[in-house]
């Protein structure tokens, strides 16, 4: 293999491909996309569009299966698929992106069937009709756009796809100028009104890309290119196109796997200025004036993330007692020890500690976001644990919030009550671990918890949480089918369906809703219930909740007159923990049906469980 002498990452990628080192090339691409120039992102995306389907999937580099995405726009979308592909791959997500014809949104959707529909549909409106000539008033123009969008959304629901909806935007304020355009029916007022109406009517479970905010962040003069629109009907500059593609990729990730779950923070020169081991708990920079204010602002931001459901953790190279002192003794600290679900201060390599943390929290490594001021630590984390999202922390702590925000790691479809309660649930889990360490046996520990489960039908009241679990759950998930809200609604309305969710509580607290079962009537001659989805939060694994759930499923199936339950295991890189679940529970393999097995209900006896 020739030595690497090129400073151009795209050229390096091509060289590795030529030398037959495709896996290494893909790893390089995932690492460098965030630092590429906009034009290079598009180039890399075109290469990835060719190479990702041909690769077998790398350990720690995303699943081998690709999420199918369809881009539909009232402007030209031809240039977006490679950019979305590149940005999605930078997050470890394989996508297969196609785009429709120019301004044929409804027509394209109406030609699709639910069987041929992609997993995610992106709708990118443009303002040619909203701002077009004619004597329509402001209200009529907004109503016309909303009527069109509601038709589009109805088609997406028919197809049971998930939706990424992009907002409208204005490029310049129009003939009324900056002062009047936001009133009197000007360009800015029309765009703001239609966007407000769009947000108010947005279908539940959709991901929203606020184009007004994106262009404002970069500045419209840099974000858009009028020449591109006049010649190509594509309104974005190269920088704008890359930024839109990045946010669309984030939307696909949020819809198909959820937001990242854990923010792992360094301490010295990250949560405070200075080194606590040298300066002591009162000698660090936090609060006060100047530099200390930057660290206080960052702590406040982290605290707000925690309040939205993000789990906070610490990984610091420090003596444990020194690392804890500022939280215990410095009144300027915003964050407290109780805000962290895991606190690791030692001299071990940070990737080693993060692996332990993942095991401790029972979460996959791709759930973690690492923020550390030390570039050596960041590079080591990227090299050893590529699944972890590593934020490129700037030298200036005043820019920490901006860097974390722009990582897009915690973008979400919605924040539910279950999310806001998550931090307290992980604090309760810490108490459970302490109790487990003193128990005489695993059986005694489970019995001491006093676990109580409750099954509730899947219905409007819990549908958001059910879809959230379907989107996010990877380990205990037999089929990993990422059903949309519309698909679940259709399923539970069908005759013969068994659909329920399980909540759990014990003496330490409430786990909330932690399991989902969706079963539909088997087609064919057999009087069987097909187990479409059985998943459970990793927080409840190993507590015999799965035994209780199967008992309840069998009782529900018998009540509906079924003779058997057909189960299915579809392997992924992450659901290995349930590989033998069905066989362990008495399901017999079906001859000629790979991955399928059947449980005869006539001979079923309830499984023993520590859950009441």
């Amino acid at each position: 293999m020739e030595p690497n002498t090129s400073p151009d990452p795209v050229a390096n990628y091509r060289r590795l491909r030529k030398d037959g080192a495709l896996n290494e090339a893909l790893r390089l691409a995932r690492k460098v996309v965030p630092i590429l120039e906009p034009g290079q992102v598009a180039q890399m995306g075109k290469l990835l569009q060719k190479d990702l389907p041909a690769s077998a999937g790398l350990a720690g580099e995303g699943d081998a299966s690709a999420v199918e995405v369809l881009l539909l726009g009232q402007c030209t979308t031809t240039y977006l698929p490679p950019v979305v592909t590149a940005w999605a791959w930078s997050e470890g997500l394989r996508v297969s992106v196609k785009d429709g014809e120019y301004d044929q949104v409804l027509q394209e959707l109406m030609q699709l069937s639910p069987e041929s529909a992609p997993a995610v549909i992106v709708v990118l409106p443009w303002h040619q009709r909203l701002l077009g000539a004619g004597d329509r008033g402001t209200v009529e123009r907004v109503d016309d756009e909303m009527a069109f969008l509601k038709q589009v959304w109805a088609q997406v629901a028919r197809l049971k796809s998930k939706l990424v909806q992009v907002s409208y935007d204005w490029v310049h304020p129009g003939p009324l100028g900056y002062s009047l355009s936001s009133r009197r029916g000007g360009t800015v007022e029309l765009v703001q009104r239609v966007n407000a109406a769009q947000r108010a009517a947005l279908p539940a479970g959709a991901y929203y890309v606020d184009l007004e905010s994106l262009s404002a962040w970069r500045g419209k003069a840099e974000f858009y290119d009028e020449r591109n629109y006049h010649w190509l009907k594509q309104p974005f500059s190269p920088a704008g196109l890359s930024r839109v593609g990045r946010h669309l990729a984030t939307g696909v990730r949020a819809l198909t796997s959820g937001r990242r779950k854990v923010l792992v923070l360094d301490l010295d020169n990250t949560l405070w200025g200075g080194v606590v081991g040298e300066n002591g708990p009162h000698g660090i920079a936090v609060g006060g004036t100047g530099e200390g204010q930057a660290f206080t602002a960052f702590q406040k931001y982290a605290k707000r993330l925690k309040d939205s459901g993000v789990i906070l953790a610490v990984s610091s190279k420090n003596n444990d007692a020194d690392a804890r002192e500022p939280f215990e003794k410095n009144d300027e600290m915003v964050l407290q020890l109780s805000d962290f679900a895991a606190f690791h201060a030692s001299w071990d390599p940070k990737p080693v500690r993060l692996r332990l943390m993942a095991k401790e929290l029972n979460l996959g490594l791709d759930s973690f976001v690492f923020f550390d001021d030390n570039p050596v630590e960041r590079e080591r984390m990227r090299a050893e644990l590529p699944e972890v999202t590593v934020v490129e922390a700037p030298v200036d702590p005043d820019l920490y919030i901006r860097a974390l925000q722009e990582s897009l790691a915690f973008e979400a479809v919605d924040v539910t009550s279950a999310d806001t309660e998550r931090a307290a649930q992980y604090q309760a889990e810490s108490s459970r671990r302490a109790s487990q360490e003193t128990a005489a046996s695993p059986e005694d520990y489970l019995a001491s918890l006093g676990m109580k489960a409750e099954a509730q039908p899947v219905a409007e009241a819990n549908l958001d949480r059910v879809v959230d679990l379907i989107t996010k759950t990877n380990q205990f998930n037999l089929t990993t089918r990422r059903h949309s809200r519309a698909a679940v609604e259709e399923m539970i309305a069908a005759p013969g369906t068994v659909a329920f969710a399980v909540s759990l509580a014990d003496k330490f607290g409430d786990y909330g809703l932690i399991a989902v079962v969706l079963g539909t009537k088997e087609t064919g001659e057999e009087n069987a219930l097909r187990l479409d989805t059985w998943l459970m939060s990793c927080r409840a694994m190993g507590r015999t909740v799965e035994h209780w759930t199967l008992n309840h499923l069998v009782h529900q199936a018998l009540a509906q007159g079924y003779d058997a339950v057909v189960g299915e295991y579809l392997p992924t890189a992450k659901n290995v923990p349930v590989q033998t679940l069905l066989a362990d529970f008495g399901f017999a393999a079906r001859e000629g049906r790979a991955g399928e097995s059947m449980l005869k209900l006539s001979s079923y006896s309830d499984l023993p469980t520590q859950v009441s």
Side-chain angles (χ1 to χ4, degrees):
M1 187 179 295
E2 298 175 6
N4 177 10
T5 59
S6 172
D8 179 2
V10 179
N12 288 341
Y13 182 93
R14 288 193 173 102
R15 179 186 58 80
L16 289 167
R17 291 170 82 224
K18 181 180 178 182
D19 291 340
L22 180 57
N23 285 0
E24 188 178 346
L26 292 174
R27 290 190 181 98
L28 172 70
R30 182 173 179 184
K31 177 181 176 181
V32 302
V33 165
I35 63 172
L36 295 179
E37 294 297 321
Q40 292 178 310
V41 172
Q43 292 174 35
M44 186 70 83
K46 290 177 182 177
L47 295 169
L48 289 169
Q49 284 178 305
K50 297 177 183 178
D51 292 343
L52 284 174
S55 65
L58 309 174
E61 293 288 341
D63 287 336
S65 58
V67 177
E68 293 187 354
V69 180
L70 176 62
L71 285 168
L72 299 175
Q74 292 176 302
C75 58
T76 299
T77 54
T78 306
Y79 304 94
L80 274 169
V83 178
V84 174
T85 300
W87 280 113
W89 181 240
S90 76
E91 298 195 40
L93 179 66
R94 294 170 182 264
V95 293
S96 174
V97 188
K98 298 179 181 178
D99 71 308
E101 295 294 327
Y102 167 76
D103 200 11
Q104 297 289 301
V105 179
L106 267 176
Q107 294 90 328
E108 294 270 1
L109 290 173
M110 292 171 70
Q111 292 175 14
L112 294 172
S113 68
E115 293 73 27
S116 64
V120 179
I121 293 172
V122 177
V123 178
L124 173 57
W126 197 240
H127 57 221
Q128 61 264 46
R129 284 196 287 269
L130 177 68
L131 304 179
D135 57 1
R136 294 177 301 157
T138 299
V139 173
E140 187 178 359
R141 288 173 182 269
V142 172
D143 287 348
D144 286 347
E145 295 302 310
M146 288 307 301
F148 164 74
L149 285 175
K150 288 177 180 179
Q151 286 182 289
V152 170
W153 296 341
Q155 288 295 321
V156 175
R158 175 184 68 83
L159 298 170
K160 299 191 282 290
S161 298
K162 298 185 178 185
L163 172 66
V164 174
Q165 178 63 56
V166 184
S167 78
Y168 293 76
D169 197 13
W170 54 277
V171 177
H172 50 73
L176 290 180
Y178 289 97
S179 177
L180 296 179
S181 187
S182 60
R183 47 202 170 107
R184 297 190 181 181
T187 296
V188 177
E189 182 186 19
L190 279 167
V191 168
Q192 290 177 343
R193 281 202 182 190
V194 76
N195 283 343
Q198 188 186 58
R199 288 191 296 269
L202 194 68
Y207 185 88
Y208 188 67
V209 176
D210 187 350
L211 207 54
E212 273 195 286
S213 294
L214 301 193
S215 64
W217 180 253
R218 293 299 297 257
K220 294 184 187 296
E222 182 183 344
F223 194 82
Y224 293 111
D225 188 329
E226 289 90 335
R227 292 167 298 180
N228 279 349
Y229 187 71
H230 294 154
W231 285 88
L232 305 171
K233 297 304 177 189
Q234 192 282 102
F236 307 107
S237 68
L241 189 74
S242 181
R243 189 163 179 81
V244 170
R246 185 182 184 194
H247 280 260
L248 296 183
T250 296
V252 174
R253 184 255 295 162
L255 287 168
T256 56
S257 59
R259 77 202 301 207
R260 300 293 187 249
K261 296 176 181 178
V262 187
L263 174 59
V264 181
L265 295 160
D266 179 40
L267 295 178
D268 293 333
N269 294 311
T270 298
L271 282 189
W272 55 68
V275 178
V276 67
E278 298 175 359
N279 303 331
H282 298 290
I284 57 175
V286 62
T289 59
E291 183 185 39
Q293 281 295 306
F295 293 105
T296 295
F298 187 56
Q299 288 193 33
K300 288 180 178 179
Y301 186 81
K303 183 94 167 180
R304 289 196 297 271
L305 281 175
K306 179 209 165 196
D307 292 341
S308 76
V310 175
I311 301 162
L312 299 185
V314 162
S315 179
S316 173
K317 284 191 174 176
N318 255 312
N319 296 323
D320 185 75
D322 292 340
R324 293 174 183 270
E325 272 198 310
F327 299 98
E328 298 167 339
K329 299 179 179 179
N330 192 321
D331 293 337
E332 296 286 353
M333 293 289 291
V334 174
L335 292 171
Q336 303 299 313
L337 287 173
S338 59
D339 290 315
F340 298 99
F343 194 99
H344 287 225
S346 74
W347 299 101
D348 294 336
K350 291 195 175 184
V352 171
R353 302 308 299 183
L354 205 142
R355 283 192 185 94
L356 292 172
M357 200 180 294
K359 185 176 181 181
E360 179 182 328
L361 297 175
N362 202 10
L363 291 171
L365 288 168
D366 59 355
S367 298
F368 288 78
V369 177
F370 181 70
F371 195 101
D372 194 309
D373 71 292
N374 189 329
V376 175
E377 296 290 357
R378 297 196 299 270
E379 189 58 30
R380 184 168 189 178
M381 188 65 71
R382 289 189 182 102
E384 295 190 29
L385 299 179
E387 308 96 320
V388 174
T389 298
V390 179
V391 179
E392 191 58 26
V395 175
D396 185 352
D398 291 297
L399 302 180
Y400 281 0
I401 293 174
R402 180 183 299 185
L404 186 54
Q405 181 78 65
E406 288 304 293
S407 75
L408 305 184
F410 300 113
E411 295 292 320
V413 173
D414 198 3
V415 175
T416 66
S417 58
D419 293 315
T420 59
E421 294 163 1
R422 184 167 292 116
Q425 290 168 348
Y426 274 90
Q427 287 295 330
E429 190 62 28
S430 178
S431 300
R432 293 184 188 101
R433 286 195 299 271
S435 175
Q436 185 177 17
E437 290 172 1
T438 61
S441 68
E443 293 75 18
D444 288 346
Y445 162 66
L446 291 177
S448 72
L449 292 176
M451 292 180 287
K452 296 184 181 298
E454 179 183 355
Q456 51 189 268
V458 176
E460 183 64 31
N462 58 25
L463 194 53
D464 286 341
R465 175 58 177 157
V466 166
V467 174
D468 187 52
L469 278 171
I470 289 171
T471 298
K472 296 178 179 178
T473 306
N474 293 308
Q475 296 182 62
F476 193 112
N477 194 334
L478 281 171
T479 58
T480 321
R481 294 189 174 107
R482 305 300 193 189
H483 292 305
S484 66
R485 183 186 177 96
V488 176
E489 288 175 329
E490 182 178 284
M491 200 178 298
I492 63 178
T497 292
V498 172
F500 61 90
V502 179
S503 57
L504 182 70
D506 64 20
K507 69 179 183 179
F508 291 109
D510 192 343
Y511 294 75
L513 197 155
I514 48 88
V516 175
V517 172
L518 301 174
T520 58
K521 185 174 178 59
E522 172 79 321
T523 58
E525 298 180 0
E526 291 171 311
N527 182 32
L529 179 74
R530 172 166 287 275
L531 191 53
D532 174 274
T533 296
W534 183 6
L535 59 84
M536 186 171 69
S537 169
C538 57
R539 293 181 293 113
M541 288 171 64
R543 286 165 166 73
T544 72
V545 181
E546 57 269 36
H547 302 66
W548 187 96
T549 302
L550 182 59
N551 292 342
H552 185 78
L553 169 62
V554 169
H555 296 159
Q556 292 289 301
L558 286 169
Q560 293 214 30
Y562 288 112
D563 298 325
V565 174
V566 174
E568 186 178 10
Y569 172 67
L570 300 178
T572 71
K574 298 177 182 176
N575 70 353
V576 175
V578 294
Q579 185 174 16
T580 64
L581 178 76
L582 296 175
D584 293 343
F585 282 170
F587 283 71
R590 300 183 81 185
E591 188 175 348
R593 302 281 189 92
E596 290 191 9
S597 54
M598 179 180 285
L599 180 68
K600 296 288 188 180
L601 302 187
S602 58
S603 59
Y604 183 82
S605 298
D606 277 359
L607 299 172
T609 175
Q610 296 283 6
V611 181
S612 62

